């Protein structure tokens, strides 16, 4: 394999010289998928340590929230969160794929990111490994905004790159969120789908 200047890129035994992050093109502006290589590198160990620290902080915050009797960081209500997940699983079932199991840690990650998107009234991706369980093999994320949850799901399915995340047979669990806000004078819902194997 050669680099951008046509110089050989060294490849270590057992490791691919290919990058582990799929860089989205113009059509994939709001799609991101990360896959871990089979042999961990220093960068991955750093990500894992960072993820473990984030999870520890998250568990501490959740514990304090539960101890005080109020969990205020989650805004997505369960019926809307379930609607986002159910639409994903209905689409997968129609394609003959297995359902994705709910993941509470990914739900919280999705909810916090949806709140962030609402606060800036724009779409952008999170850093996928941040807030994900440390045992992940592959991660993916879809972010969208619109007037209703079914409208956004239809838009995901009409986008080949977003549909690819929803229909990826490798994924086994999902975290979802739907957070409402007012952007540019319009009532808007932001949905986030966090996929994991």
């Amino acid at each position: 394999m050669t680099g951008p200047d046509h110089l050989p890129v060294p490849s270590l035994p057992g490791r691919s010289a290919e990058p582990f992050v799929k860089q989205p093109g113009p059509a994939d502006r709001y799609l991101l998928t990360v896959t871990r290589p089979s042999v961990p590198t220093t960068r991955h160990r750093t990500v894992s340590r960072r993820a473990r620290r984030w999870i520890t902080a998250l568990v501490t915050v959740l514990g304090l929230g539960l101890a005080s009797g109020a969990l205020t960081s989650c805004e997505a209500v369960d019926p809307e969160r379930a609607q986002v997940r159910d639409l994903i699983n209905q689409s997968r079932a129609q394609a003959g794929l297995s359902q994705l199991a709910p993941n509470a840690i990914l739900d919280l990650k999705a909810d916090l990111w949806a709140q962030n998107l609402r606060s800036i009234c724009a779409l952008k991706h999170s850093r996928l490994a941040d807030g994900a369980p440390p045992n992940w093999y592959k991660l993916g994320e879809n972010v969208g905004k619109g007037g209703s949850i079914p409208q956004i799901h239809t838009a995901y399915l009409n986008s080949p790159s977003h549909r690819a995340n929803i229909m990826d047979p490798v994924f086994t669990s999902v975290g979802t969120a739907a957070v409402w806000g007012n952007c540019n004078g319009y009532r808007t819902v932001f949905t986030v789908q966090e996929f994991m194997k």
Side-chain angles (χ1 to χ4, degrees), residues 64-117:
L64 292 173
L66 292 174
S68 70
L71 186 63
T72 58
S73 64
C74 287
E75 280 195 32
V77 293
D78 287 338
E80 290 177 332
R81 180 187 312 280
Q83 183 181 14
V84 174
R85 185 177 49 250
D86 291 345
L87 289 169
I88 292 168
N89 283 330
Q90 288 170 13
S91 298
R92 288 175 63 89
Q94 290 171 356
L97 297 169
S98 62
Q99 291 195 354
L100 299 178
N103 183 299
I105 294 172
L106 291 177
D107 279 348
L108 183 60
K109 175 180 170 49
D111 192 85
L112 293 172
W113 194 247
Q115 290 177 51
N116 179 61
L117 297 177

Side-chain angles (χ1 to χ4, degrees), residues 38-57:
S38 59
V39 176
T41 64
T42 304
R43 179 170 162 28
H44 294 305
R45 279 187 235 116
T46 302
V47 169
S48 293
R49 274 189 231 118
R50 190 177 327 133
R52 276 186 287 233
R53 276 182 272 173
W54 199 93
I55 298 254
T56 302

Side-chain angles (χ1 to χ4, degrees), residues 85 88-89 92 97-103 165-175 194-196:
R85 185 177 49 250
I88 292 168
N89 283 330
R92 288 175 63 89
L97 297 169
S98 62
Q99 291 195 354
L100 299 178
N103 183 299
N165 265 348
I166 292 170
M167 300 299 184
D168 191 328
V170 173
F171 290 130
T172 57
S173 60
V174 68
E194 301 288 351
F195 301 93
M196 185 181 87

Side-chain angles (χ1 to χ4, degrees), residues 3-197:
D5 297 321
H6 304 292
L7 297 173
V9 176
S11 175
L12 299 175
R15 291 190 188 163
S16 169
E18 295 299 317
F20 79 100
V21 177
K22 175 188 175 204
Q23 296 297 325
D28 299 328
R29 185 169 177 198
Y30 301 111
L31 167 83
L32 192 58
T33 303
V34 176
T35 305
R36 283 190 188 206
S38 59
V39 176
T41 64
T42 304
R43 179 170 162 28
H44 294 305
R45 279 187 235 116
T46 302
V47 169
S48 293
R49 274 189 231 118
R50 190 177 327 133
R52 276 186 287 233
R53 276 182 272 173
W54 199 93
I55 298 254
T56 302
L58 176 67
V59 168
T60 303
V61 169
L62 284 174
L64 292 173
L66 292 174
S68 70
L71 186 63
T72 58
S73 64
C74 287
E75 280 195 32
V77 293
D78 287 338
E80 290 177 332
R81 180 187 312 280
Q83 183 181 14
V84 174
R85 185 177 49 250
D86 291 345
L87 289 169
I88 292 168
N89 283 330
Q90 288 170 13
S91 298
R92 288 175 63 89
Q94 290 171 356
L97 297 169
S98 62
Q99 291 195 354
L100 299 178
N103 183 299
I105 294 172
L106 291 177
D107 279 348
L108 183 60
K109 175 180 170 49
D111 192 85
L112 293 172
W113 194 247
Q115 290 177 51
N116 179 61
L117 297 177
R118 182 205 40 216
S119 72
I120 62 173
C121 284
L123 296 178
K124 67 179 192 174
H125 282 286
S126 69
R127 293 177 58 186
L128 284 180
D130 288 353
N135 60 338
W136 63 270
Y137 170 73
K138 181 178 182 180
L139 298 170
E141 178 178 72
N142 288 342
V143 297
K145 69 178 183 171
S148 72
I149 293 168
Q151 176 190 47
I152 298 169
H153 186 73
T154 300
Y156 286 149
L157 293 178
N158 289 333
S159 163
S161 54
H162 293 88
R163 182 183 185 87
N165 265 348
I166 292 170
M167 300 299 184
D168 191 328
V170 173
F171 290 130
T172 57
S173 60
V174 68
T176 57
V179 173
W180 288 89
N182 188 336
C183 290
N184 303 318
Y186 295 99
R187 184 159 161 76
T188 305
V189 62
F190 290 84
T191 66
V192 176
Q193 302 172 344
E194 301 288 351
F195 301 93
M196 185 181 87
K197 158 102 173 116

